[in-house]
Amino acid sequence: VSKGINCLDAAKACNLNGTCKKYRSAYITPCTTRVSMSEVCNKRKCHKALRLFFDKVPQKHSYGMLFCSCQDTACIERRRQTIVPICSYEDKEKPNCLNLQESCKTNYICRSRLADFFTNCQPESRSVSSCLKENYAHCLLAYSGLIGTVMTPNYIDSISISVAPWCNCSNSGNNQEECEKFLNFFKNNICLQNAIQAFGNGTDMNVWQPVPPLQTTTATYFKIKDKTLFSSAPLRNINEISTDDYAKIISVCANLQ
Ligand SMILES: *[C@@H]1O[C@H](CO)[C@@H](O)[C@H](O)[C@H]1NC(C)=O
Ligand SMILES: *[C@@H]1O[C@H](CO)[C@@H](O)[C@H](O)[C@H]1NC(C)=O
């Protein structure tokens, strides 16, 4: 029995919420209105309305539709269609991913959101969550922040939760490896995939919600001498830790177990 968020239920829930319904229709319209024989829509307007949707709508609803959990292909397809990919995602040609990255860098919203994505969805195989930052919520926020930029990612097929921007690594010249690395950060990213799955499965909120930042102003500190305790997250800077935070970490660990 799954307590997960089913995609159809998520769409219904959005419709019943005034805010979600309003911002959803506000992007469905420009994203589905043909402007000429050759243009299926006004991509710029569609992107702008999508950014507004993810900015304004409570994550419970926006994530509910984007990261819902699926058992069958109809559901997976519904999830893939959330952002109206024919307009927001697809294009006539697939540019080279590194060229796409360059064009993203010329726009400050795209540039900063891409940097955010690389920071917050950095995989780390030795960490508990598979994320270097150990924070699923921040990774999902960074991912959804890319929607409505030239780097808009989406699910690439009807079987998996693998995602990618609309680009490939043909014509990479000497930068083939760099291009593959960039593309794989989207396509084969265990941190992002775990974050998506955790939300979709309705995993205990403690696991994916932000853990409050470690307070450095508290008077009492433990010096953690024995770093082996944290060997599953060796790259985190936890030389000093307050008693309160220590208790929080222990409880998070208990939940994970
Ligand atoms: C929409 O849903 C959010 C989160 O559940 C809630 O806080 C908000 O009041 C709802 N808004 C409307 C207009 O229903
Ligand atoms: C990459 O996209 C281009 C342009 O759409 C296409 O011609 C090419 O076949 C694609 N390459 C791969 C490996 O799919």
Side-chain angles (χ1 to χ4, degrees):
V1 181
S2 167
K3 57 174 174 172
I5 301 134
N6 172 282
C7 297
L8 188 56
D9 291 344
K12 285 180 189 160
C14 174
N15 238 1
L16 292 174
N17 181 275
T19 310
C20 192
K21 191 178 179 179
K22 174 178 144 197
Y23 287 101
R24 183 153 186 267
S25 352
Y27 79 74
I28 294 292
T29 305
C31 298
T32 56
T33 306
R34 181 175 277 280
V35 290
S36 69
M37 283 297 281
S38 58
E39 301 293 318
V40 292
C41 67
N42 184 326
K43 193 173 199 140
R44 197 183 53 80
K45 280 189 181 164
C46 170
H47 275 173
K48 194 173 177 192
L50 272 168
R51 293 203 303 275
L52 208 57
F53 175 81
F54 285 102
D55 276 352
K56 302 284 187 193
V57 172
Q59 287 167 357
K60 179 183 159 189
H61 295 298
S62 56
Y63 288 9
M65 288 192 296
L66 192 60
F67 305 128
C68 43
S69 70
C70 283
Q71 253 80 60
D72 58 87
T73 49
C75 172
I76 293 175
E77 187 53 22
R78 172 184 288 277
R79 182 174 63 192
R80 200 179 71 81
Q81 291 293 337
T82 301
I83 63 167
V84 197
I86 193 169
C87 180
S88 72
Y89 183 61
E90 290 161 30
D91 226 321
K92 283 156 203 140
E93 299 262 291
K94 269 192 177 174
N96 175 274
C97 293
L98 295 178
N99 292 343
L100 186 64
Q101 186 185 15
E102 283 310 308
S103 77
C104 171
K105 283 180 177 171
T106 64
N107 174 283
Y108 92 98
I109 296 179
C110 193
R111 184 175 58 227
S112 63
R113 292 185 176 191
L114 187 60
D116 234 34
F117 176 63
F118 277 103
T119 303
N120 289 302
C121 297
Q122 189 71 51
E124 169 50 59
S125 58
R126 289 165 298 179
S127 80
V128 181
S129 61
S130 300
C131 299
L132 180 61
K133 296 280 188 185
E134 304 272 28
N135 192 317
Y136 289 155
H138 286 179
C139 175
L140 295 182
L141 186 64
Y143 174 84
S144 60
L146 283 174
I147 294 171
T149 70
V150 295
M151 204 50 83
T152 299
N154 198 21
Y155 300 100
I156 54 177
D157 55 40
S158 293
I159 47 169
S160 69
I161 53 167
S162 187
V163 299
W166 188 257
C167 65
N168 69 25
C169 286
S170 290
N171 307 316
S172 291
N174 292 333
N175 301 318
Q176 187 70 28
E177 209 173 304
E178 193 194 338
C179 182
E180 303 283 353
K181 202 174 151 202
F182 177 85
L183 185 52
N184 274 324
F185 194 95
F186 288 86
K187 279 173 91 170
N188 296 311
N189 183 326
I190 187 71
C191 166
L192 174 62
Q193 291 182 359
N194 281 355
I196 292 174
Q197 244 152 5
F199 183 87
N201 293 340
T203 303
D204 187 347
M205 298 298 253
N206 285 328
V207 183
W208 74 271
Q209 264 194 341
V211 174
L214 297 183
Q215 309 236 328
T216 48
T217 49
T218 319
T220 326
Y221 291 99
F222 278 117
K223 281 258 188 244
I224 307 289
K225 290 265 161 46
D226 182 9
K227 296 229 181 84
T228 57
L229 177 60
F230 295 95
S231 61
S232 59
L235 299 181
R236 258 183 102 183
N237 184 14
I238 38 172
N239 289 324
E240 293 185 322
I241 197 160
S242 72
T243 45
D244 279 352
D245 291 318
Y246 189 79
K248 273 178 214 153
I249 288 171
I250 296 300
S251 93
V252 168
C253 291
N255 280 333
L256 282 171
Q257 210 142 44

